[in-house]
């Protein structure tokens, strides 16, 4: 930074301080603000509280100032609510008043100042985007159309892990393969496309640029320039980098994915059948409801909102299960009893209460978006008897609502049983204001309909097929948290040992077809017993070829194939079978 620039910045700062004090004295409105630390001019509370406004730090402040408190971060008003009653007020009772979103300087860039859906203010544009996205993304029909794809993706993952000898001994960073699975789950829905392997160059390009987008927007590094506009020139480099990443990313979406579907649509004209989500979105563009930029921002939103959150949750779930072997065993017992050795599918989820409890407990303790996506009031509003100035950023500390010992028994413990005992009936859909992993109300997460089955299928299949263990020499995996602007990720992508269980899913080609013929798999606890005891092989074909020379008169050669038949749906747990298939 040159001296002239520094001099100008300091002069600007001085002028702004003076102006702000004068203006606030002359025409400042008299608000009865919620309690909070006393702000100083220009900086507000920034110097006292710093940049790292994560859920734990804000919980500490709630203990000091109460369930509603106010921070002035430079020029930005921030109101944090930390009780179920106030969450209800913000998200439900005054859902319209507080239904907008704030964007910081970085999100302004990545969303084209709110041309997307997630970060746009509450109004006509948001309503239109949400309506257009609902049919292709957020209905149960989408789940039913795509669930076999998700089941296939996790099956491929399981097969790869079983084939990898390292997985069962040294362990693997399972997250890397899960990431490919998650991309495939979403890109199948969006574009009817998938990536072949972790080495796929396009997958790697996409992953890298999504990572950079996420890193730049989740960092607390740029807060000072966002809070104190006069310091913004110092952010020039950072914001230029954001602009460059955004341009490259949208170009990638356009060139590699959207343009392909658009071309197909144009070429086939009226004969074109809407097949994947993008076709519906492009159809809306063709009808003039949205423009092409909106189309690209929808792809941007899904790449962030759907992929990362779900992946983080699966990763947290695995880590908790590794560190709680007794819970893992109990879960595996449920899966064995209900499914036998058939692969878990989406319709099975309703019959797996303990698995559902594990998913909920993961979302409670390790909430991927612990402060929800920031809300905002467009106009001056009232909350709990206090004034909330227009355009305040409203944070609902959903993590604290779900982890406050005054509201939950032993909340710091990972104990799925709670959702079958004292908290039975509490769902992740917001039927209880203490538990809001997806928010609730107008701006709640519409992706819950996809996220819950994907997490359930993924965790369930992994535990059904593998004993998940810490790497050799360690007795647990690291659970340190990494908080971002509004994310809660696991800090270390741990190595996990995946020791195959006695199941032999690799021997279950056509498993689903076979299962359908089983009478009442879930209701019959003796079926898994039978699997183990009676039927030792399936699809293992023994071929015996007799010497053709001895049977010349019978033409060319004679081959006798002996097939050891197993009734459909019944599979083997035999080790021999595994070796034969290898
Ligand atoms: C475990 C996975 C997920 C979690 C924990 C999660 C959580 C959330 C939360 C907390 C919000 C904000 C709610 C609020 O501000 O009141 C949200 C919004 C949103 N989520 Fe999710 N989400 C997940 C998966 C998904 C998926 C799979 C999709 C899409 C397929 C998705 C799409 C969205 C969208 C579009 C919004 C913005 C809604 C709006 O502003 O109107 N999410 N999500």
């Amino acid at each position: 930074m040159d001296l002239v620039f520094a001099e100008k910045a300091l002069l600007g700062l001085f002028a702004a301080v003076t102006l702000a004090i004068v203006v606030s004295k002359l025409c400042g409105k008299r608000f009865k603000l919620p309690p909070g630390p006393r702000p100083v001019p220009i900086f507000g509370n920034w110097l006292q509280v710093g940049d790292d406004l994560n859920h734990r730090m804000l919980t500490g402040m709630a203990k000091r100032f109460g369930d509603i408190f106010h921070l002035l971060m430079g020029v930005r008003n921030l109101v944090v609510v930390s009780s179920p009653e106030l969450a209800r007020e913000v998200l439900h009772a005054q859902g319209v008043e507080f239904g907008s979103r704030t964007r910081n300087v970085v999100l302004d860039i990545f969303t084209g100042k709110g041309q997307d859906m997630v970060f746009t203010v509450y109004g006509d544009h948001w309503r239109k985007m949400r309506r257009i996205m609902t049919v292709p993304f957020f209905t149960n029909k989408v789940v039913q159309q795509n669930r076999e794809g998700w089941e296939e993706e996790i099956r491929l993952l399981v097969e790869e892990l079983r084939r990898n000898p390292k997985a069962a001994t040294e362990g693997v960073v399972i997250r890397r393969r899960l990431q490919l699975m998650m991309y495939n789950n979403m890109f199948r829905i969006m574009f009817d496309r998938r990536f072949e392997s972790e080495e796929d160059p396009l997958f790697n390009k996409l992953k890298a640029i999504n990572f950079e987008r996420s890193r730049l927007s989740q960092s607390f590094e740029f807060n000072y320039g966002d809070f104190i506009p006069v310091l913004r020139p110092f952010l020039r480099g950072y914001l230029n980098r954001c602009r460059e990443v955004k341009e490259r990313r949208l170009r990638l979406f356009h060139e590699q994915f959207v343009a392909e579907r658009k071309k197909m649509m144009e070429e086939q004209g009226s004969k074109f059948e809407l097949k994947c989500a993008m076709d519906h979105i492009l159809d809306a563009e063709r009808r003039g409801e949205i423009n092409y930029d909106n189309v690209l921002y929808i792809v941007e939103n899904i790449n962030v909102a759907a992929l990362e959150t779900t992946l983080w949750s699966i990763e947290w779930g695995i880590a908790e299960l590794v560190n709680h072997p007794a819970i893992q065993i109990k879960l595996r017992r449920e899966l064995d009893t209900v499914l036998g050795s058939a692969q878990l599918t989406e319709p099975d989820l309703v019959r797996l209460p303990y698995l559902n409890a594990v998913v909920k407990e993961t979302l409670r303790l390790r909430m991927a978006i612990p402060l929800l996506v920031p809300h905002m009031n467009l106009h001056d509003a009232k909350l709990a008897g206090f004034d909330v100035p227009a355009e305040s950023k409203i944070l609902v500390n959903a993590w604290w609502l779900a982890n406050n010992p005054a509201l939950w028994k032993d909340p710091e413990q990972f104990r799925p049983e709670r959702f079958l005992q004292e908290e039975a009936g509490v769902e992740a859909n917001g039927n209880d204001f203490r538990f809001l992993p997806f928010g609730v109300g107008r701006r709640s997460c519409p992706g819950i309909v996809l996220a819950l089955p994907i997490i359930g299928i993924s965790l369930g299949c992994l535990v059904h097929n593998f004993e998940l263990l810490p790497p050799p020499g360690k007795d647990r995996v690291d659970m340190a948290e990494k908080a971002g602007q509004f994310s809660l990720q696991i800090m270390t992508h741990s190595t996990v040992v995946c020791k195959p269980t006695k199941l032999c899913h690799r021997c279950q080609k056509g498993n689903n077809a076979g299962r359908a013929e089983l009478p009442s798999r879930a209701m019959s606890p003796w079926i898994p017993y039978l699997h183990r005891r009676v039927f030792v092989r399936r699809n293992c074909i023994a071929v015996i070829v007799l010497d053709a020379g001895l049977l010349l008169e019978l033409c060319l050669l004679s081959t006798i194939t002996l097939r050891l038949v197993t009734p459909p749906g019944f599979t083997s747990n035999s080790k021999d079978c595994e070796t034969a298939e290898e």
Side-chain angles (χ1 to χ4, degrees):
M1 184 178 44
D2 58 33
L3 273 174
V4 181
F5 179 65
E7 196 185 348
K8 276 188 187 161
L10 282 173
L11 268 173
L13 185 63
F14 177 73
V17 173
T18 319
L19 190 69
I21 294 170
V22 173
V23 169
S24 70
K25 290 276 177 233
L26 289 178
C27 55
K29 279 192 193 171
R30 294 247 162 253
F31 283 119
K32 184 189 167 205
L33 293 171
R38 183 181 287 274
V40 298
I42 295 295
F43 299 103
N45 302 115
W46 178 53
L47 298 174
Q48 295 142 287
V49 298
D51 282 330
D52 198 357
L53 299 169
N54 68 63
H55 57 290
R56 288 189 191 270
M57 184 271 199
L58 295 175
T59 296
M61 297 202 77
K63 287 179 185 165
R64 225 173 113 203
F65 296 105
D67 289 342
I68 177 166
F69 64 90
H70 170 261
L71 296 173
L72 187 63
M73 304 302 285
V75 293
R76 299 208 187 252
N77 283 295
L78 178 67
V79 172
V80 184
V81 302
S82 313
S83 74
E85 296 72 29
L86 287 173
R88 179 193 294 275
E89 195 62 25
V90 169
L91 304 173
H92 180 67
Q94 297 200 58
V96 173
E97 288 83 344
F98 292 106
S100 282
R101 300 275 194 217
T102 43
R103 291 185 304 267
N104 54 42
V105 281
V106 167
L107 286 175
D108 260 349
I109 293 173
F110 283 123
T111 66
K113 296 207 164 148
Q115 293 185 62
D116 67 332
M117 194 264 246
V118 180
F119 291 101
T120 196
V121 293
Y122 185 76
D124 288 344
H125 176 69
W126 170 79
R127 256 189 296 277
K128 192 167 58 184
M129 293 287 268
R130 190 139 172 158
R131 177 174 50 76
I132 288 169
M133 286 174 78
T134 296
V135 170
F137 286 108
F138 305 129
T139 62
N140 203 35
K141 193 168 166 204
V142 177
V143 174
Q144 293 318 315
Q145 281 165 347
N146 288 280
R147 69 154 179 103
E148 281 178 12
W150 306 337
E151 290 154 13
E152 185 187 7
E153 292 299 335
I154 186 72
R155 185 173 55 74
L156 291 172
L157 182 151
V158 164
E159 284 176 5
E160 254 177 61
L161 283 177
R162 277 185 177 268
R163 274 199 304 268
N164 180 357
K166 248 178 78 177
T169 51
E170 297 160 47
V172 287
V173 181
I174 193 168
R175 188 228 200 233
R176 293 200 192 118
R177 185 58 185 75
L178 281 166
Q179 191 172 27
L180 174 66
M181 180 198 80
M182 237 356 260
Y183 269 76
N184 281 345
N185 285 346
M186 290 316 300
F187 275 72
R188 283 173 97 140
I189 300 180
M190 235 184 326
F191 297 108
D192 193 24
R193 274 177 67 172
R194 65 183 299 277
F195 305 98
E196 217 35 68
S197 74
E198 281 176 68
E199 281 73 46
D200 186 318
L202 181 57
F203 169 61
N204 279 305
K205 209 166 166 186
L206 189 60
K207 203 172 69 167
I209 199 138
N210 276 344
F211 174 83
E212 189 57 2
R213 188 288 195 197
S214 195
R215 187 188 70 77
L216 289 165
S217 56
Q218 290 295 342
S219 167
F220 294 106
E221 216 179 302
F222 61 83
N223 273 357
Y224 71 90
D226 183 51
F227 297 155
I228 305 161
V230 71
L231 296 180
R232 212 156 286 172
F234 295 103
L235 270 189
R236 212 162 28 179
Y238 196 94
L239 297 183
N240 283 343
R241 170 88 186 128
C242 294
R243 281 185 202 101
E244 185 251 325
V245 167
K246 175 227 163 140
E247 292 304 327
R248 256 192 315 129
R249 195 160 160 265
L250 293 191
R251 204 176 322 125
L252 183 75
F253 293 154
H254 161 67
E255 286 172 0
Q256 298 291 342
F257 300 99
V258 185
E260 184 188 66
R261 303 288 326 166
K262 200 167 163 66
K263 193 162 159 240
M264 273 161 95
M265 203 173 211
E266 281 162 4
E267 280 171 3
Q268 294 178 28
S270 57
K271 285 193 212 114
F272 187 77
E273 273 181 41
L274 306 183
K275 199 167 172 204
C276 56
M278 189 42 55
D279 298 344
H280 289 266
I281 305 295
L282 285 169
D283 195 40
E285 187 223 6
R286 193 172 55 179
R287 290 196 306 269
E289 290 192 61
I290 49 174
N291 62 33
Y292 193 65
D293 282 346
N294 300 140
V295 174
L296 294 181
Y297 284 115
I298 287 176
V299 182
E300 122 74 32
N301 276 181
I302 296 291
N303 268 267
V304 179
L307 289 171
E308 299 194 344
T309 45
T310 315
L311 184 61
W312 297 332
S313 306
I314 298 174
E315 205 182 358
W316 277 119
I318 292 173
E320 288 294 0
L321 289 165
V322 169
N323 288 349
H324 294 88
I327 293 173
Q328 200 186 133
I329 290 169
K330 191 167 169 185
L331 175 57
R332 191 170 303 111
R333 205 175 299 139
E334 177 182 81
L335 291 160
D336 283 346
T337 308
V338 174
L339 303 174
S341 49
Q343 190 193 328
L344 166 57
T345 64
E346 187 273 338
D348 295 320
L349 291 172
V350 288
R351 291 178 299 186
L352 294 162
Y354 197 64
L355 174 61
N356 290 322
V358 167
V359 172
K360 283 191 230 170
E361 183 67 343
T362 305
L363 294 170
R364 184 193 67 79
L365 191 59
R366 309 292 180 179
M367 209 171 270
I369 318 275
L371 303 168
L372 307 186
V373 179
H375 284 238
M376 182 184 84
N377 51 318
L378 278 174
H379 310 288
D380 291 345
K382 287 260 183 208
L383 195 55
F386 297 106
D387 291 314
V388 180
E391 302 194 0
S392 293
K393 176 172 172 173
I394 316 291
L395 295 180
V396 175
N397 194 343
W399 177 84
W400 181 233
L401 302 183
N403 285 272
N404 181 346
L407 306 173
W408 299 78
K409 188 175 151 203
D410 303 326
E412 70 295 341
Q413 281 179 23
F414 184 77
R415 190 171 59 85
E417 285 74 8
R418 75 178 75 245
F419 285 106
L420 302 173
Q421 296 165 6
E422 75 270 19
E423 307 296 355
V426 175
E427 298 297 339
N429 62 7
N431 70 347
D432 185 315
F433 279 84
R434 293 170 306 147
F435 185 48
L436 303 173
F438 296 93
V440 67
R442 289 167 179 75
R443 298 306 290 257
S444 67
C445 176
I448 183 174
V449 64
L450 312 182
L452 287 178
I454 291 177
I455 301 171
I457 294 171
S458 309
L459 288 181
C461 274
L462 283 171
V463 171
H464 200 198
N465 281 276
F466 301 102
E467 232 180 287
L468 303 169
L469 304 162
K474 297 219 169 121
D475 59 356
R476 49 186 287 116
V477 292
D478 183 7
M479 298 297 276
E481 295 176 348
K482 180 176 151 200
Q485 290 276 349
F486 34 85
S487 66
L488 174 56
Q489 311 174 44
I490 195 163
M491 178 94 78
T492 316
H493 302 311
S494 295
T495 298
V496 174
V497 173
C498 306
K499 216 168 116 195
T501 54
K502 291 201 185 112
L503 291 178
C504 181
H505 286 309
R506 297 200 57 241
C507 313
Q508 291 183 334
K509 296 212 178 99
N511 174 35
N512 289 339
R515 287 157 30 104
E517 291 162 41
L518 272 175
S520 173
R521 176 168 57 86
M523 307 308 155
S524 315
W526 50 268
I527 284 182
Y529 177 81
L530 272 183
H531 291 169
R532 265 172 243 127
R533 293 280 167 262
V534 182
F535 304 105
V536 284
R537 278 169 189 261
R538 178 173 193 260
N539 288 351
C540 293
I541 302 170
V543 179
I544 301 168
V545 180
L546 300 179
D547 188 340
L550 293 172
L551 300 163
L552 263 179
E553 70 274 31
L554 291 175
C555 302
L556 303 167
L557 84 162
S558 201
T559 304
I560 299 170
T561 301
L562 288 178
R563 180 166 177 175
L564 302 178
V565 183
T566 308
F570 288 81
T571 55
S572 153
N573 63 356
S574 140
K575 264 210 157 142
D576 305 348
C577 174
E578 206 167 285
T579 328
E581 289 250 321
E582 215 70 70

